[in-house]
Amino acid sequence: MSFLQKRSSDTKFYIFSLFGALAAVISLITVFIAQISLRGWIKGMRALLKGEGLVNPFLHVGTPELRPIVKDLRVLIRDLETERRAKDENQISWSPRALKEILNKELTGDEILIVSNREPYIHVKKNDQIEVQFPASGLVTALEPIMRACSGTWIAHGGGNADREVVDKHDHIKVPPENPSYQIRRVWLSKEEEQGYYYGFANEGIWPLCHIAHVRPVFRSQDWTQYVAVNEKFAKTVVEEAKTDDPVVLVQDYHFALLPKMIRERLPKATVITFWHIPFPNSEVFGICPWRDEILDGLLGSSILGFHTRFHCNNFLDSVDRFLECRIDRETSIVSYKGVSTAINHYPISIEYPAKWLEDQKPIAECRKHIRGINGFPKDRMLGIGIDRLDYTKGILERFLAVERLFELEPKWIGKFTFVQIAAPSRTSLDQYQTFDAAVRSLATKINKRFGKEGYEPICLKIEHHEPRQVYEYYRGVDLCFISSLHDGMNLVAKEFVASRDDEQGVLILSQFTGAARELPEALIVNPYNIDQCAAALHIALEMPMGEQRDRIRSMRGLIQEFNVFRWAGRMLLDAARLRQRTRLFGHIQDRYLGKAQSKL
Ligand code: GDG
């Protein structure tokens, strides 16, 4: 071996030895850390087996280097919970009873408060008699069965002209009138408050801002002042009604964007679940609101913030990202802002199934006969139905234009088909709604003049409030239901129509711009702006064979049965229950091992 060869082999030997030594040191360190962690875990497991609780595995996390483990564990628990939630949810048969059991088991003894603008029962005086009315409101339709199942207190604006006459000295009244199971706490508003908060900011500002219906929102600073004041008033009422310092408060809709934060300031331990019943616009549109930051800031006082669709969750997150300084975890959809974490999730709302309004309904054949009888229609008249609040977002004009186009394209339906439009008057003191009311009446008159004849009107327009039992009788007595919303968070009429058809007949025509269209693809999905397409859908519906009607409606009924309103509420309450358990658990860990200074870990 030459000198040069020997030197090169020595160098290789040294390099190998060096790597060997390094590897040994790294292994030793790894084993050492693993030992420490393992001991902690074993100790924890032993403690768990001894029944000392879950918190013991963290006995050693006071050591700063091991703190990341707590963080990882939080993520792990959250992932496990998500998996468990999906499993749990599918196994439950969702009914009022199931919901009650969940409340008793998961939210033992926790009190439930609901806050909404609209109350579920309105007392009105007519000819010196006090009547109880059930309002035309999707929100009330969905939440009333939940309250019947859970009891608790529903805080709402007392808007009926006889509301004050029937409450006790604490402004409470027990409902439902026929079988009381929960109470309403009525909040009184002055004319100025109602004008600024409800008609002004909520309905001339936020409502058009959130719906793509090409109606320009109006923002007035005096309306905003009332909106803030009324949100404050409801926050104080929540505190008055709460019997504990950590109630579960369900805040409803765009009337109360500031309330979640106001509740959190007064009751920091409360679990605030906010549900936004209407669409949430993209950030560019939302950005035009002069008080956009305050609205986002208020909503982020919620523990959970729900929308009907993932799309609207994403719009909200984009606005938060664009306008506030906060942290957004896109994977879990959790926003951390000013020390509060808000989980953003989609919870598509639904209806009570089976609906209580179906309990004493007559068989379908009788409903068909009765509906034709009271309206003076012949027995064989084909009927379509539209049921809405009289609102410019519902596409009522487009619906009438589609009926007109049907007659132009398929004249054979003239005289044989009538479209009945029930429109409950809504927000009647606003100019936009008065103009819309006039436009609807005038278009119906024009079409009736053009295609009607003695004893026949193609469009039967009923601008008046109907009781739910009458509404359900119409659903059962017609051949098709046409929903042409220009934009709609969900649209419960679609689900009510399907649920009411226990004969598995009837066709649903549904706007693609409703949340419901994502869940009910078996409907005839249309673009309400495409009048020819809607007319074609009417024609297809009127000629659809019974077998096809059955197949479509059966599938949709199956979905509504499985995903009813009890499941909607149950999912949110289960999420709230887990959040409370997790908060208690981590509160305990923090206090005991990490100290309050580490609370943002
Ligand atoms: C908002 C969102 C979302 C209709 N006329 C009468 C009457 N109705 C009932 C219907 C139905 C309810 O009103 C309307 O519900 P929608 O869901 O269609 O619409 P909104 O009121 O705009 O509700 C909507 C909903 O919140 C829930 O989250 O789906 O997207 O805009 O139940 O049957 N009820 C009575 N008389 C009538 O004349 N009693």
Side-chain angles (χ1 to χ4, degrees), residues 134-142 207 211 253 275-279 308 349 351 387-389 391 393-394 422-425 427 464-469 471-472 475 485 487-494 496 515 568:
F134 193 81
S137 151
L139 181 155
V140 169
T141 304
W207 178 267
H211 287 92
D253 231 356
F275 193 79
W276 192 265
H277 289 258
I278 62 176
H308 292 299
I349 208 165
I351 54 163
I387 294 185
D388 311 82
R389 285 183 304 97
D391 194 296
T393 60
K394 302 291 179 182
I422 290 180
R427 305 167 195 169
E464 60 192 302
H465 182 85
H466 286 66
E467 279 310 299
R469 275 196 181 79
V471 169
Y472 272 80
Y475 288 143
S485 307
H487 204 190
D488 217 333
M490 175 54 68
N491 192 288
L492 293 179
V493 171
E496 289 170 0
W568 171 77

Side-chain angles (χ1 to χ4, degrees), residues 370-599:
H370 188 236
I371 291 299
R372 283 162 183 75
I374 55 172
N375 287 293
F377 302 148
K379 275 193 288 200
D380 59 350
R381 175 74 50 82
M382 298 290 277
L383 293 182
I385 187 82
I387 294 185
D388 311 82
R389 285 183 304 97
L390 189 51
D391 194 296
Y392 55 78
T393 60
K394 302 291 179 182
I396 298 172
L397 295 174
E398 287 71 11
R399 204 174 299 171
F400 290 178
L401 291 173
V403 173
E404 182 180 41
R405 189 77 180 125
L406 170 77
F407 292 144
E408 286 168 3
L409 295 172
E410 298 285 345
K412 70 173 186 178
W413 294 115
I414 300 170
K416 292 197 178 128
F417 171 63
T418 293
F419 192 81
V420 181
Q421 176 64 52
I422 290 180
S426 182
R427 305 167 195 169
T428 46
S429 67
L430 296 181
D431 287 350
Q432 285 290 355
Y433 286 75
Q434 288 167 11
T435 312
F436 185 67
D437 179 308
V440 166
R441 287 177 199 268
S442 131
L443 184 60
T445 308
K446 185 189 134 213
I447 295 171
N448 284 343
K449 261 197 199 140
R450 185 172 168 203
F451 292 105
K453 51 188 180 210
E454 183 67 30
Y456 171 66
E457 281 193 337
I459 291 179
C460 172
L461 178 59
K462 294 170 178 294
I463 301 192
E464 60 192 302
H465 182 85
H466 286 66
E467 279 310 299
R469 275 196 181 79
Q470 296 173 287
V471 169
Y472 272 80
E473 190 177 36
Y474 270 99
Y475 288 143
R476 288 165 69 77
V478 299
D479 300 283
L480 64 91
C481 176
F482 185 9
I483 291 157
S484 50
S485 307
L486 305 180
H487 204 190
D488 217 333
M490 175 54 68
N491 192 288
L492 293 179
V493 171
K495 294 187 175 183
E496 289 170 0
F497 172 69
V498 168
S500 71
R501 298 311 295 251
D502 42 29
D503 62 335
E504 299 185 335
Q505 293 298 302
V507 183
L508 176 64
I509 304 175
L510 182 57
S511 158
Q512 68 187 84
F513 307 122
T514 59
R518 288 172 168 76
E519 292 182 86
L520 303 173
E522 300 85 351
L524 296 177
I525 304 292
V526 293
N527 172 352
Y529 292 95
N530 187 340
I531 304 297
D532 281 20
Q533 187 196 48
C534 291
L538 280 168
H539 178 65
I540 291 169
L542 288 167
E543 298 218 313
M544 190 179 284
M546 289 171 83
E548 185 179 342
Q549 293 187 33
R550 189 193 56 235
D551 292 347
R552 286 175 184 263
I553 218 152
R554 188 181 278 177
S555 171
M556 293 189 276
R557 282 170 65 81
L559 179 119
I560 295 169
Q561 182 172 17
E562 203 182 325
F563 291 87
N564 60 18
V565 76
F566 304 109
R567 187 167 186 165
W568 171 77
R571 281 186 59 211
M572 278 191 287
L573 292 171
L574 273 176
D575 284 351
R578 282 172 194 141
L579 200 76
R580 286 161 83 89
Q581 285 159 9
R582 205 190 303 147
T583 308
R584 283 175 195 145
L585 173 70
F586 288 122
H588 192 81
I589 295 167
Q590 261 162 224
D591 290 353
R592 212 159 150 197
Y593 306 109
L594 300 179
K596 297 225 159 64
Q598 292 294 324
S599 61

